[in-house]
């Protein structure tokens, strides 16, 4: 049976998600640049010999309507990576509103039968399950003969079929469905033992351990030896193979893995929450019919403004995909369409209404994890411009990482003129790095920019360094 790599230690970075990066700040000077000199300055960075085979897409404009300050293939398609979340969240804010919440409900169908309806809340956790159980107890319910889990709200594949295998098996490519709990992740720890002994496998959720056959081929190494851990999963989804080594003095390694069956995972955890309230649960059943009666308990997600912040600040793929599917409620769905398909139609209609040219992008998911997404730098600049003119502009901008301060930009631009004045979305896939957002230029008017690098064989840190140099150049703009 084939196996797939699903976890690597920090020595070998994830290939397909923008995580906060700690890296050397770009070399800068405090000189000023006239707008007429900007092109030459940027070209000096991106035309270096080490980038001779790399595709650059760049567009820089004033936030107000003004002339283009720099453009390089700005109308060409690029793989955007997580910059795509800018489009998904812009549409979500326009269509759903800042106060939109995702509700998980329990209905009473009579005769000891309850129906729980999941609506794809990516923030749902164990505490909220306990809240639901407590609400049932307060209603005097001590026994549930049958619990029906209604997963009809989100239709279609729980994993995008265009995502790569390594992504689907990693904690940033978790399944998206009507029932999402703990971001559809389960965890285990690998703990060093005596030298020569296998690492101890400690399951955070013992119930999950019963679903897996563990093949432990790891070892505890002596101090000063290299550390690495590979966890692979058989394609059948029933066995985990643990390989690699940690040293005796290593901290335990925490591994997060995607759940295989979100419905089963949810029901099993909810049964535990009910038991904690001394509510007995008989049969459980998953249905897809959407028939509900009297609501007797519910919990809600935080408002959309907070969901957007998690999506963009931390580049959370699950949140982006959940928001895409939440958009599907805005439009009737044909039987042949998935919720994601309808969500993508709503994104397109919403962006078009904002003034974003639909010829500037081809979207296949909401997170940017798929390599089939194609977006031009112009599309991002148009979106950033358009949202800035809406009443909710401040919420959108507040959801973006701040250079040197927060989210996936916390470790970048520290000690440079860009620190604190750039709000932008990062993006990282193997060979594709992006950064798009706003800058409050100190000696110039506010700017909007999009920088995308594709087909790069260079390490991501090298590409980011060059992107950051370009951004720092923008801080030096002045009127001449």
């Amino acid at each position: 049976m084939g196996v797939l790599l699903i976890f690597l230690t920090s020595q070998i970075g994830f290939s397909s998600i923008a995580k906060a990066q700690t890296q050397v700040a770009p070399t800068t000077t405090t000189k000023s640049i006239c707008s007429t000199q900007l092109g030459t300055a940027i070209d000096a960075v991106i035309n270096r010999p080490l980038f001779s085979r790399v595709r650059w897409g760049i567009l820089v404009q004033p936030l107000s309507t003004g002339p283009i300050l720099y453009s390089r293939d700005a109308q060409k398609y690029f793989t955007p990576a997580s910059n795509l979340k800018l489009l998904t969240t812009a549409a979500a804010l326009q269509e759903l509103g800042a106060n939109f919440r995702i509700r998980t409900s329990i209905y009473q169908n009579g005769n000891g039968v309850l129906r729980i309806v999941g609506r794809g809340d990516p923030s749902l956790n164990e505490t909220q399950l306990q809240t639901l159980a407590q609400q049932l107890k307060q209603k005097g319910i001590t026994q549930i003969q049958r619990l029906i889990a209604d997963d009809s709200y989100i239709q279609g594949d729980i994993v995008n079929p265009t995502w790569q295998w390594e992504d689907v098996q990693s904690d940033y490519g978790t399944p998206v469905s009507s029932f999402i709990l703990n971001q559809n992740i389960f965890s285990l720890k690998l703990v060093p033992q005596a030298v020569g002994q296998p690492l101890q496998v400690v399951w955070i959720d013992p119930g999950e351990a019963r679903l897996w056959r563990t093949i432990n081929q790891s070892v505890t190494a002596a101090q000063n030896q290299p550390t690495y851990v590979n966890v692979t999963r058989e394609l059948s989804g029933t066995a985990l193979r643990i390989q690699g080594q940690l040293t005796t003095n290593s901290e335990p390694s925490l591994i997060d893995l995607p759940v295989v069956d979100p419905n089963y995972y949810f029901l099993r955890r909810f049964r535990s929450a009910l038991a904690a309230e001394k509510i007995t649960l008989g049969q459980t059943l998953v249905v897809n019919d959407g028939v509900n009666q009297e609501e007797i308990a519910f919990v809600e997600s935080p408002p959309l403004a907070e969901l957007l912040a998690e999506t963009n600040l931390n580049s959370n793929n699950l949140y982006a995909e959940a928001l895409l599917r939440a958009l599907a409620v805005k439009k009737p769905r044909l039987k042949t369409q998935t919720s994601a398909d309808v969500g993508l139609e709503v994104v397109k209609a919403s962006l078009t209404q904002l003034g974003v040219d639909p010829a500037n992008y081809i979207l296949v998911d909401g997170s940017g994890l798929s390599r089939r997404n194609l977006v031009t730098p112009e599309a991002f600049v148009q979106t950033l411009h358009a949202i800035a003119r809406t009443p909710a502009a401040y919420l959108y901008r507040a959801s973006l990482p701040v250079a040197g301060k927060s989210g996936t930009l916390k470790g970048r631009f520290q000690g440079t003129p860009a620190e604190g004045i750039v709000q932008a979305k990062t993006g990282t896939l193997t060979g594709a790095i992006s950064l798009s957002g706003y800058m409050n230029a100190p000696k110039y008017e506010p700017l909007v920019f999009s920088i995308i690098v594709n087909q790069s064989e260079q390490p991501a840190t090298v590409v980011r360094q060059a992107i950051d140099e370009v951004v720092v150049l923008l801080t030096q703009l002045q009127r001449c």
Side-chain angles (χ1 to χ4, degrees), residues 58 60 89 118 141 212 262 270 273-274 308 327 339 343 362 379 410 429 466 479:
I58 303 176
V60 182
T89 52
I141 294 172
W212 299 93
F270 190 43
L274 291 169
L308 292 189
L327 284 167
S339 297
I362 298 171
K410 189 172 184 179
L429 290 168
R479 297 197 172 279

Coordinates of all heavy atoms in Angstrom, one line a residue, residues 58 60 89 118 141 212 262 270 273-274 308 327 339 343 362 379 410 429 466 479:
I58 N 4.0 42.3 -10.8 CA 3.9 43.4 -9.8 C 3.0 44.5 -10.3 O 3.1 44.8 -11.5 CB 5.4 43.9 -9.6 CG1 6.3 42.9 -9.1 CG2 5.3 45.1 -8.6 CD1 7.8 43.3 -8.9
V60 N 1.9 48.4 -8.7 CA 1.9 49.4 -7.6 C 1.1 50.6 -8.0 O 1.4 51.2 -9.1 CB 3.3 49.8 -7.2 CG1 3.3 50.7 -6.0 CG2 4.2 48.6 -6.8
T89 N -12.4 36.7 1.2 CA -12.9 37.5 2.3 C -13.5 38.8 1.9 O -14.4 39.3 2.6 CB -11.7 37.7 3.3 OG1 -10.6 38.3 2.6 CG2 -11.2 36.5 3.9
G118 N -25.3 20.9 11.5 CA -24.1 21.6 11.3 C -24.1 22.5 10.1 O -24.7 22.1 9.1
I141 N -33.7 17.3 29.5 CA -33.3 16.1 28.7 C -32.2 15.4 29.4 O -31.1 15.9 29.6 CB -32.9 16.5 27.3 CG1 -34.1 17.2 26.5 CG2 -32.4 15.3 26.5 CD1 -33.8 17.7 25.2
W212 N -6.9 3.7 14.5 CA -5.7 3.6 13.8 C -4.9 2.4 14.3 O -4.9 2.1 15.4 CB -4.9 4.9 14.0 CG -5.5 6.1 13.5 CD1 -6.3 7.0 14.2 CD2 -5.5 6.6 12.1 NE1 -6.8 8.0 13.4 CE2 -6.3 7.8 12.1 CE3 -4.9 6.2 11.0 CZ2 -6.5 8.6 11.0 CZ3 -5.2 7.0 9.8 CH2 -5.9 8.1 9.8
P262 N -15.3 13.6 9.3 CA -15.7 14.7 10.2 C -17.0 14.4 10.9 O -17.1 14.8 12.1 CB -15.9 15.9 9.3 CG -15.0 15.6 8.1 CD -15.0 14.1 7.9
F270 N -19.3 14.7 20.6 CA -20.5 15.2 21.2 C -21.1 14.2 22.2 O -21.6 14.5 23.3 CB -21.5 15.5 20.1 CG -22.7 16.2 20.7 CD1 -22.6 17.3 21.6 CD2 -24.0 15.9 20.2 CE1 -23.7 18.0 22.0 CE2 -25.1 16.6 20.7 CZ -25.0 17.6 21.6
A273 N -19.4 14.9 25.4 CA -19.9 16.1 26.0 C -21.2 15.8 26.7 O -21.5 16.3 27.8 CB -20.1 17.2 24.9
L274 N -22.1 15.0 26.1 CA -23.4 14.7 26.7 C -23.1 13.8 27.9 O -23.8 14.0 29.0 CB -24.2 13.9 25.7 CG -24.7 14.7 24.5 CD1 -25.3 13.7 23.4 CD2 -25.8 15.7 24.9
L308 N -12.9 36.7 9.6 CA -12.0 37.2 8.6 C -10.6 37.4 9.1 O -9.6 37.1 8.5 CB -12.5 38.6 8.1 CG -13.8 38.6 7.3 CD1 -14.0 40.0 6.8 CD2 -13.8 37.6 6.2
L327 N -21.0 31.4 1.7 CA -21.6 32.3 0.6 C -22.6 31.6 -0.3 O -23.4 32.3 -0.9 CB -20.4 32.8 -0.3 CG -19.5 33.9 0.3 CD1 -18.3 34.0 -0.5 CD2 -20.3 35.2 0.4
S339 N -21.7 23.1 -2.9 CA -21.7 24.3 -2.2 C -20.5 25.2 -2.6 O -20.6 26.4 -2.7 CB -21.7 24.1 -0.7 OG -22.9 23.4 -0.3
G343 N -20.5 28.9 -4.1 CA -19.8 30.0 -3.4 C -18.9 30.7 -4.4 O -18.8 31.9 -4.3
I362 N -9.2 33.1 -12.3 CA -9.9 31.8 -12.4 C -9.8 31.1 -11.1 O -8.6 30.8 -10.7 CB -9.4 30.9 -13.5 CG1 -9.5 31.6 -14.9 CG2 -10.1 29.6 -13.6 CD1 -8.8 31.0 -16.0
A379 N -5.9 42.0 -10.4 CA -7.2 41.6 -9.7 C -7.0 41.9 -8.3 O -8.0 42.4 -7.6 CB -7.4 40.1 -9.9
K410 N 4.5 38.9 11.1 CA 5.1 39.2 12.4 C 6.6 39.1 12.4 O 7.3 40.0 13.0 CB 4.5 38.4 13.5 CG 5.0 38.8 14.9 CD 4.3 38.1 16.0 CE 4.6 38.6 17.4 NZ 3.9 37.9 18.5
L429 N 3.3 28.8 -1.7 CA 3.3 27.4 -2.2 C 4.7 27.1 -2.7 O 5.5 28.1 -2.9 CB 2.3 27.2 -3.3 CG 0.8 27.3 -3.0 CD1 0.0 27.4 -4.3 CD2 0.4 26.1 -2.2
A466 N 13.7 39.3 -1.4 CA 13.6 40.2 -2.6 C 12.3 40.9 -2.6 O 12.2 42.1 -2.9 CB 13.8 39.4 -3.9
R479 N 7.4 62.7 -3.2 CA 7.1 63.6 -4.4 C 8.3 64.4 -4.8 O 8.9 65.0 -3.9 CB 5.9 64.5 -4.0 CG 4.6 63.7 -3.7 CD 3.4 64.6 -3.7 NE 2.2 63.8 -3.6 CZ 1.6 63.1 -4.5 NH1 2.2 63.1 -5.7 NH2 0.5 62.5 -4.3

